[in-house]
Amino acid sequence: MQPRDLSDHVAYEAGRGIEEVARELGRDPSEFIKLASNENPHGPSPAATVAIRETASDVSSYPKAAHADLTTAIASRWNVADEQVWLANGGDGAIDYLHRATLEPSDDILVPRPGFAYYGMSSRFHHGDVREYELSRADDFRQDADVVLDAYDDERVIWLTSPHNPTGSTMPLSEIERLADETDDETLVVVDEAYGEFADRESAIALIEGWDEFDARDDVAVLRTFSKAYGLAGVRLGYAVVPDEWADAYTRVNTPFAASELACRAGLAAIEDEEHVVRTVETTRESRAYMQDTIDAHVWESEGNFVLVDVGDASAVATEMQERGVIVRDCSSFGLPGCIRITCGTEDETERAVDTLNDVLADLDVDAADDPDAEVADP
């Protein structure tokens, strides 16, 4: 027998790791730095590392208490009810749960282009279809309600990414509210805030709970992760915050013990480690500013822990940077063949990345990189 027809499914393409590249090139891993996957340059929260070590002897038991404790801690962090927090195996697990709770066969979702491939992958897993709205390079990847509404056709779920990967742009809460107002009552607007800690703006949870000038809504959900600011990408821990009216759905769509004992205990420690998050955010902002000021190419403004750079020929530049020991993300897989994405690193890593990139641009004589209006294909 064969699996079902998966011809419409596109495999997720992750950033390349140091060990992988070093083996391929026959080099020592110590020669490389990796700024391709938007990981935390300071590593995991030290408190989380201790918690993982101390929890290791307890992994023979299911994580019921830890799961409940972390749910309560996150709910307290956002001042929502425990039932509004849907823990998951990474942010992608939360995407799956939201699709399980919303999609009937042949329902559509609306996703950004360029954007995170897993939105569409998950929809297709659940027999949904995928449509796209374009974030235009010509408009510096601007995000507002009109950009989405121009493509909207009563989709069941709309995905927003704010800050957006790979561009770093954000959508104001007032525009998210307007989008929710002007779409069907049965359309769920999901705001993916995987990079939310790095943006100087309030979370869209304000729209769910009716904080400040906003009215509480039942058609907005928010995604968050421990992978970025908390440095826990390897333990796979994320969550969704949903309207109160959605609370009961979680127990019907989640996998048993949706996050592991190690992940939950790490999350409990990390969420209290404010010093680590503050340090990470400060490093990110310094790195972003340095790259914006010193890269000899057009760099888009970003509120994530990365920047998008116009280099003219992403494949050639990324390959040459890799040869020189700096691994960055070729954004061709996002539909941006003229751009690379560079994760914000430590001061030393950032300086090395900038020096390497500038040398590569000069050596390859990439003229398009000097001109933000140069003709490079839109995604």
Side-chain angles (χ1 to χ4, degrees):
M1 65 176 291
Q2 298 291 322
R4 68 184 175 96
D5 182 9
L6 299 173
S7 58
D8 286 341
H9 294 250
V10 179
Y12 175 69
E13 185 177 331
R16 307 192 71 201
I18 288 177
E19 294 290 338
E20 174 190 3
V21 171
R23 282 196 302 269
E24 180 182 297
L25 298 179
R27 306 254 293 274
D28 190 312
S30 65
E31 298 177 31
F32 296 88
I33 60 171
K34 178 189 176 188
L35 298 176
S37 296
N38 299 341
E39 295 156 338
N40 192 314
H42 298 304
S45 153
T49 302
V50 172
I52 291 171
R53 187 181 306 118
E54 292 178 347
T55 303
S57 60
D58 296 328
V59 296
S60 58
S61 300
Y62 291 111
K64 186 169 184 179
H67 201 278
D69 291 347
L70 180 57
T71 298
T72 297
I74 294 171
S76 177
R77 162 71 177 83
W78 294 110
N79 196 27
V80 299
D82 286 15
E83 293 77 15
Q84 292 178 258
V85 176
W86 292 10
L87 284 187
N89 180 26
D92 44 348
I95 293 170
D96 282 335
Y97 292 158
L98 288 168
H99 284 163
R100 291 181 192 181
T102 54
L103 297 181
E104 298 285 355
S106 299
D107 276 348
D108 291 347
I109 68 168
L110 188 61
V111 304
R113 178 170 63 105
F116 185 36
Y118 195 72
Y119 303 144
M121 292 170 65
S122 174
S123 177
R124 291 187 176 104
F125 294 155
H126 296 91
H127 302 282
D129 209 347
V130 183
R131 297 185 64 253
E132 297 177 324
Y133 62 92
E134 182 178 341
L135 302 183
S136 171
R137 176 194 176 100
D139 291 330
D140 289 329
F141 307 105
R142 173 179 56 87
Q143 294 197 75
D144 60 26
D146 289 334
V147 167
V148 183
L149 290 169
D150 285 347
Y152 174 68
D153 189 22
D154 294 331
E155 285 78 16
R156 186 72 166 96
V157 181
I158 295 173
W159 284 95
L160 310 176
T161 315
S162 184
H164 178 261
N165 177 28
T167 70
S169 67
T170 56
M171 182 181 286
L173 293 192
S174 59
E175 289 296 296
I176 299 172
E177 180 184 48
R178 182 162 73 89
L179 176 63
D181 282 339
E182 296 185 25
T183 50
D184 189 82
D185 289 344
E186 295 303 311
T187 293
L188 177 68
V189 177
V190 187
V191 187
D192 185 344
E193 295 182 343
Y195 302 96
E197 287 84 1
F198 305 108
D200 188 17
R201 59 185 62 235
E202 190 172 16
S203 169
I205 294 172
L207 300 175
I208 302 173
E209 294 302 293
W211 300 337
D212 301 330
E213 74 272 23
F214 301 109
D215 295 326
R217 311 191 64 95
D218 65 359
D219 56 356
V220 173
V222 172
L223 220 65
R224 285 263 169 167
T225 183
F226 282 83
S227 294
K228 309 302 181 183
Y230 294 98
L232 298 180
V235 303
R236 311 307 302 128
L237 182 62
Y239 60 94
V241 177
V242 303
D244 184 62
E245 292 84 351
W246 287 64
D248 292 343
Y250 182 53
T251 57
R252 301 175 187 273
V253 300
N254 73 327
T255 54
F257 309 110
S260 73
E261 178 77 13
L262 289 176
C264 289
R265 292 301 175 191
L268 278 164
I271 203 170
E272 298 298 328
D273 191 355
E274 294 184 7
E275 181 179 349
H276 183 71
V277 174
V278 168
R279 180 188 181 206
T280 298
V281 171
E282 288 177 349
T283 296
T284 294
R285 291 176 175 171
E286 291 168 359
S287 177
R288 280 191 322 219
Y290 183 81
M291 288 192 281
Q292 183 80 45
D293 291 342
T294 57
I295 288 176
D296 295 334
H298 181 62
V299 180
W300 279 273
E301 293 286 344
S302 172
E303 294 198 56
N305 67 336
F306 54 85
V307 297
L308 184 71
V309 188
D310 176 7
V311 295
D313 184 342
S315 178
V317 170
T319 298
E320 185 59 31
M321 289 186 71
Q322 181 176 280
E323 288 283 348
R324 303 184 191 195
V326 179
I327 305 170
V328 297
R329 185 64 181 265
D330 173 357
C331 287
S332 297
S333 62
F334 286 96
L336 296 171
C339 299
I340 62 170
R341 189 190 67 195
I342 308 176
T343 301
C344 295
T346 63
E347 182 177 354
D348 287 345
E349 289 172 336
T350 301
E351 290 179 358
R352 180 178 173 187
V354 170
D355 290 344
T356 301
L357 174 57
N358 287 344
D359 287 345
V360 167
L361 292 175
D363 292 346
L364 296 180
D365 192 23
V366 183
D367 295 331
D370 297 322
D371 179 7
D373 298 319
E375 288 293 328
V376 179
D378 275 336

